[in-house]
Amino acid sequence: MNVVVCVKQIPDPAAPPALDPGTNNLSRTGKLILDESDSYGVEMALQLVDAAGSGEVTLVSMAPNGETSGLRTALAMGAARAILVSDDALSGSDALGTAKVLAAAIKRAEPDLVLAATESSDGYTGTTPVQIAELLGLPSVTFAKKVEVTGDSVSVERQTEAGYDEVQCPLPAVVTVTAGVVEPRYPSFKGIMAAKSKPVDTLTVADLGIDAGQVGAAGARQEITGVSAAEERGSGEIVVDEGDAHERIIQFLEQLKVL
Amino acid sequence: MSIDKIWVLAEVADGKTVTASLELISHATTLAGTVEAVAFGDATAAVAATLGEYGATKVHDVGDLGGALPGVPVASAIAAAVASGAGPDAILFPATYDGRDVAGRLSAKIDRPVLTNVVGLAEDGGALVTQHAIFGGTQIASARFTGEGPGLFVVRAKSFPAESRGGGPAEVVAAPAPDAGSTNAARIVARHVEERTGPKLDEADVVVSGGRGLGEKDQYAMIEELAALLHGAPGASRAIVDAGWVPYAYQVGQTGKTVKPTVYLACGISGATQHLVGMKNAKNIVAINKDQDAPIFTVADLGIVGDVHKVVPKLIEALKTRG
Ligand SMILES: Cc1cc2nc3c(=O)[nH]c(=O)nc-3n(C[C@H](O)[C@H](O)[C@H](O)COP(=O)(O)OP(=O)(O)OC[C@H]3O[C@@H](n4cnc5c(N)ncnc54)[C@H](O)[C@@H]3O)c2cc1C
Ligand SMILES: Nc1ncnc2c1ncn2[C@@H]1O[C@H](COP(=O)(O)O)[C@@H](O)[C@H]1O
């Protein structure tokens, strides 16, 4: 079974985020890392291919400046190869533009299953994978907390407001996984060394046969009109517990008439 | 350009319209002359009165989906209306599991982008302008669509109040989904309900949340006990949801629920920006954390520097003796 995993390479979330003052887009200069949200998809894909006994995991990513450091992390985990779409024309893409590019790249890998995260850590629009599914003409199941493949269909436990639904879907399909579905493995030293020589196909918009006017800032049909500081919420009283802090909480709740 | 007609995806659960959809319908009446709902499932007729009361004059009923996931069939039905020219200027979706699916599918079908994580929506010069809380809610970004075609907006719960507009029942019109072929092949084969008692997390007046500072899964029981004593709902940080201590439905924050209770009590939660964005608009915040530099204290009205294993059991005892 061949599985494609969409992996986003993002600025380190631990670093303070910034907006590009010219465009108000998220600034994506500097080194990028594998989005932790996608490490679950990578792990899930590796386990599913393992269980199937054949096939391989292909990564698909769209990122600026030919960035591969996040891809190398996922290759070190055990993915076989990667397709990277990188092109200056893609800067400023909205989620639909990104989905068009990723869909075209995924098509080349002819996967049985496409995995993505329910939402990315930096953009968190959470719509890209479903847009990809529609563009590829595939069914999709979002918010998976358990994924199993039997024959040519996938069964998913899908998170719901009240609990979860068991969903059956024929392959090929797009499935998005929530954090915590599986425990992502740490790349081994051997894996890290092997990742250096694994193939990464780098493609441009033209290679994919996409009209550059459809994607990037040129194709984006939404704009950020401004950014302002939110109303600040000041902190109040701080009490160090000397064994009676619970009394202060009760007083506070009484003042609010909650008690 | 002006906003004449807005459609709102009305989700129905347990025979009732979800609050997030009612918030959108009542807010939409302040933006457009005509507000209509799109509903699916077998209970549309039963909720037509409620949809009308909050401001929808019509409900486009996609009908029973025969076990299909809503994304494809509901988006197909809306896309057909848009193609026929009967579509609205904007479509609002609640940021629910299904709402996001329908919006994503529709976006690709009609080739229009979506604005997600919307927390504010206003009219400006005949166009809709959104607000988005970014960087843990410290900044607000505004955005709008350019180009022709309806605007698609996925709006977070609690962004607007759900207010009755005193309208009569909405007229139900059938809007069956055209055949979407194999893209519509995902089927729900069984549903599992995890029992929760007490008020719902996003509707409770008091929310008591626990985080990794509880130390271990069993300790979450005291959060549930405290929540019950305060007639509130228990919540959680993502750290303990990912650790499998509590189901995802308990999660508060960027990737979980937005809550605005009268009191939010955070126990052993550090206050990461992604957690704060889901709770910092609570009217009052109480935090218990043993680290006096924990970021949660920057938003707390009452901050207790202490051990949850000492403070919470005493609080529970004291509340019990009050009866
Ligand atoms: C894309 C993305 C989305 C996210 N979405 C969410 C979200 O929706 N919701 C969310 O909550 N998080 C979210 N997170 C995760 C978030 O960044 C934090 O990792 C998470 O909130 C931390 O949970 P915590 O506060 O329970 O754990 P920690 O950060 O580990 O904090 C534990 C706290 O407990 C305190 N403590 C320890 N022992 C005790 C004790 N005995 N008594 C009192 N205090 C004690 C410690 O001082 C510490 O402050 C998201 C992250 C990303 C990248
Ligand atoms: N540029 C990208 N490259 C690869 N995968 C992506 C990209 N953008 C989004 N995705 C996938 O889609 C998921 C949801 O992204 P988003 O719509 O940004 O929340 C991500 O977690 C990835 O799995």
Side-chain angles (χ1 to χ4, degrees):
Chain A
M1 186 179 56
N2 291 317
V3 183
V4 159
V5 188
C6 297
V7 296
K8 199 167 179 183
Q9 304 179 82
I10 62 166
D12 189 344
L19 293 177
D20 180 321
T23 61
N24 274 330
N25 286 323
L26 270 179
S27 166
R28 290 203 171 80
T29 51
K31 192 170 134 60
L32 303 180
I33 62 167
L34 172 67
D35 186 343
E36 192 203 323
S37 305
D38 283 322
S39 63
Y40 300 97
V42 174
E43 178 63 40
M44 176 60 75
L46 292 170
Q47 290 185 14
L48 290 173
V49 166
D50 229 27
S54 69
E56 59 180 25
V57 176
T58 302
L59 310 168
V60 171
S61 188
M62 171 180 132
N65 312 323
E67 181 66 58
T68 58
S69 36
L71 286 174
R72 293 288 170 204
T73 305
L75 290 169
M77 287 172 71
R81 59 197 189 95
I83 302 174
L84 169 68
V85 189
S86 196
D87 195 316
D88 288 345
L90 292 172
S91 146
S93 291
D94 57 26
L96 184 55
T98 304
K100 287 177 183 172
V101 169
L102 292 173
I106 290 167
K107 218 175 192 161
R108 301 192 150 212
E110 297 183 9
D112 301 302
L113 176 66
V114 180
L115 294 181
T118 49
E119 56 188 11
S120 62
S121 298
D122 65 339
Y124 56 98
T125 72
T127 51
T128 311
V130 178
Q131 289 166 327
I132 291 173
E134 180 64 27
L135 292 165
L136 291 173
L138 296 179
S140 57
V141 186
T142 51
F143 284 97
K145 48 181 223 154
K146 190 167 173 201
V147 183
E148 264 169 22
V149 171
T150 8
D152 53 6
S153 95
V154 59
S155 30
V156 172
E157 285 183 10
R158 180 180 190 248
Q159 181 72 51
T160 62
E161 196 53 51
Y164 66 93
D165 286 347
E166 278 173 53
V167 178
Q168 282 285 351
C169 183
L171 296 176
V174 176
V175 173
T176 74
V177 296
T178 56
V181 278
V182 282
E183 189 61 45
R185 68 193 69 181
Y186 285 105
S188 64
F189 179 70
K190 213 171 121 218
I192 295 169
M193 295 314 288
K196 296 195 168 139
S197 56
K198 286 182 176 171
V200 176
D201 276 339
T202 305
L203 305 174
T204 62
V205 167
D207 292 335
L208 290 172
I210 294 176
D211 170 10
Q214 284 257 310
V215 293
R221 285 151 300 161
Q222 60 193 44
E223 59 182 9
I224 296 181
T225 54
V227 178
S228 57
E231 214 179 296
E232 263 195 59
R233 188 186 174 105
S235 55
E237 178 190 347
I238 301 282
V239 177
V240 177
D241 180 33
E242 308 279 3
D244 55 1
H246 59 286
E247 287 167 11
R248 180 68 192 95
I249 298 178
I250 288 187
Q251 244 177 29
F252 186 77
L253 296 175
E254 278 172 343
Q255 272 167 20
L256 300 173
K257 308 226 173 337
V258 169
L259 288 180
Chain B
M1 206 172 103
S2 73
I3 313 297
D4 295 323
K5 198 197 283 178
I6 293 181
W7 282 8
V8 175
L9 183 70
E11 253 182 80
V12 178
D14 300 330
K16 279 198 276 197
T17 316
V18 302
T19 310
S21 288
L22 297 179
E23 291 164 7
L24 295 184
I25 291 171
S26 66
H27 185 66
T29 62
T30 68
L31 302 169
T34 306
V35 176
E36 298 174 354
V38 177
F40 56 89
D42 53 15
T44 305
V47 296
T50 309
L51 296 174
E53 184 195 337
Y54 283 81
T57 48
K58 209 186 249 185
V59 44
H60 301 267
D61 181 13
V62 184
D64 188 64
L65 304 181
L69 289 180
V72 172
V74 178
S76 302
I78 299 175
V82 171
S84 77
D89 303 299
I91 309 175
L92 314 187
F93 303 87
T96 54
Y97 303 99
D98 292 334
R100 249 168 47 164
D101 277 9
V102 177
R105 283 279 171 184
L106 181 62
S107 155
K109 277 181 194 293
I110 65 172
D111 196 29
R112 286 290 295 160
V114 192
L115 282 165
T116 50
N117 291 305
V118 172
V119 298
L121 190 62
E123 205 229 84
D124 182 16
L128 290 174
V129 179
T130 54
Q131 292 195 323
H132 308 257
I134 58 171
F135 303 159
T138 53
Q139 308 221 37
I140 304 285
S142 316
R144 67 167 173 219
F145 288 113
T146 57
E148 286 300 302
L152 311 182
F153 303 89
V154 180
V155 186
R156 294 192 62 109
K158 299 266 156 175
S159 297
F160 313 107
E163 286 167 343
S164 167
R165 299 283 180 236
E171 175 199 357
V172 181
V173 294
D179 183 12
S182 62
T183 57
N184 189 23
R187 287 288 174 279
I188 300 168
V189 292
R191 311 201 96 142
H192 296 261
V193 175
E194 286 157 1
E195 285 304 329
R196 284 185 74 159
T197 51
K200 280 176 139 171
L201 179 55
D202 48 4
E203 286 167 15
D205 212 30
V206 177
V207 172
V208 183
S209 283
R212 190 144 44 194
L214 292 171
E216 55 182 15
K217 179 176 179 168
D218 291 350
Q219 297 293 321
Y220 191 79
M222 70 181 175
I223 299 298
E224 287 176 313
E225 188 175 7
L226 181 56
L229 284 165
L230 295 171
H231 309 291
S237 72
R238 171 155 155 186
I240 72 166
V241 171
D242 287 359
W245 296 4
V246 292
Y248 173 76
Y250 286 54
Q251 185 173 317
V252 173
Q254 175 182 306
T255 36
K257 295 223 159 60
T258 305
V259 297
K260 292 190 180 174
T262 306
V263 185
Y264 187 86
L265 221 122
C267 307
I269 292 179
S270 60
T273 53
Q274 298 93 349
H275 187 79
L276 297 186
V277 74
M279 46 64 77
K280 67 177 231 173
N281 289 325
K283 288 189 201 76
N284 300 278
I285 297 171
V286 181
I288 307 170
N289 194 303
K290 69 173 186 192
D291 173 9
Q292 61 176 16
D293 296 325
I296 191 79
F297 288 134
T298 63
V299 298
D301 300 286
L302 175 61
I304 306 291
V305 182
D307 185 344
V308 285
H309 303 110
K310 296 196 177 120
V311 181
V312 175
K314 280 190 197 160
L315 187 55
I316 289 173
E317 273 322 301
L319 288 169
K320 276 186 180 159
T321 51
R322 288 170 64 99

